[in-house]
Amino acid sequence: TPAVVIGDAPGDVRVEPGAQVTMASGGKAMLFAPHVVNAGTVSAPDGQVIMAAGEQVYLMTSLSVRGLDVAVSAPMPWVFDYYHMASAAGLGNYYSDAFTSDLATIVFPQMAARASSVGYSVVNDGVVQADHGNITLMSRSILQNGALQASTALNNRNGSIRLQAWGEGMMSYGSSMPDGSPLQYWSTGTLVLGSGSVTTAMPDLSDAGEIELAALVTRYSPGRIELR
């Protein structure tokens, strides 16, 4: 099967200074492009903000946050499954056939060269806020210069921030899906927290709501910040 012909990279997504992207409660603001830049304000109360840079984007329901998990990659000239990917990336020893060898020596280097040439990046110079929600930044290059602010309230409305510097990732399909998360990553990226930047996941001290019966067991789950 011939390789897919990869054309020019698509355009960027930019939130300019003074611009505001505001979701209704529980909504999701998802910014996807080879280059994602926020210099304005993006807000998703009780929801999720995702800023992810790549040319292929994969989403799935998250098991760890109230929202979606994401993976990004350069365009794949051929489709491959988890076990071939893991074997070619040295994460397992499932296959040793010619296709796996070509993944390691041809396809992966081509994808890495594409990512390097286009320069996938997420840059936050503005404010991203998700009260009682999640903020996820995903790219081979992440530069956090601004403010990322999540907060946690009662009744399991915990806030979280994930800065995930992964260069290449994919979703495992069907019978190729291993135990655990179907989203898999095989190359790392770069994460920089700029001088003066603010990344916080604090309790919402203004929350005066009553504890719901469904939340009696946990009452309050603390917020968290993940840097990968």
Side-chain angles (χ1 to χ4, degrees):
T1 303
V4 173
V5 177
I6 307 299
D8 294 336
D12 302 338
V13 169
R14 294 179 177 270
V15 181
E16 299 291 351
Q20 296 184 7
V21 178
T22 304
M23 308 307 297
S25 179
K28 291 180 173 59
M30 297 186 285
L31 285 60
F32 303 141
H35 308 102
V36 178
V37 179
N38 172 48
T41 300
V42 181
S43 176
D46 282 294
Q48 187 177 31
V49 178
I50 300 177
M51 298 167 58
E55 292 181 82
Q56 291 186 175
V57 180
Y58 307 84
L59 295 169
M60 65 163 289
T61 302
S62 177
L63 300 177
S64 59
V65 301
R66 294 181 301 111
L68 300 172
D69 288 331
V70 61
V72 293
S73 77
M76 295 179 179
W78 285 275
V79 174
F80 45 85
D81 64 14
Y82 167 81
Y83 293 104
H84 283 97
M85 178 278 294
S87 299
L91 304 178
N93 188 25
Y94 305 105
Y95 286 100
S96 58
D97 55 11
F99 180 66
T100 303
S101 176
D102 286 348
L103 280 182
T105 61
I106 300 174
V107 177
F108 284 1
Q110 285 180 350
M111 293 177 69
R114 171 76 173 201
S116 178
S117 174
V118 177
Y120 305 147
S121 63
V122 170
V123 178
N124 179 50
D125 290 326
V127 177
V128 179
Q129 189 159 2
D131 294 331
H132 322 148
N134 169 260
I135 299 170
T136 296
L137 273 55
M138 168 72 76
S139 175
R140 70 190 294 270
S141 173
I142 297 175
L143 179 55
Q144 154 52 350
N145 281 327
L148 302 176
Q149 300 172 325
S151 64
T152 292
L154 295 172
N155 301 316
N156 301 317
R157 293 181 296 155
N158 53 306
S160 60
I161 298 174
R162 302 181 299 184
L163 306 182
Q164 300 181 324
W166 291 104
E168 302 288 356
M170 62 176 279
M171 177 177 286
S172 301
Y173 299 99
S175 61
S176 76
M177 195 174 294
D179 293 336
S181 173
L183 294 183
Q184 304 294 330
Y185 313 97
W186 72 89
S187 73
T188 57
T190 302
L191 167 61
V192 175
L193 301 181
S195 176
S197 64
V198 176
T199 305
T200 61
M202 303 294 287
D204 182 355
L205 300 181
S206 68
D207 179 25
E210 295 184 0
I211 296 176
E212 299 172 356
L213 290 177
L216 283 176
V217 175
T218 55
R219 291 180 172 83
Y220 179 85
S221 297
R224 75 176 188 271
I225 296 174
E226 301 175 14
L227 309 179
R228 303 186 184 277

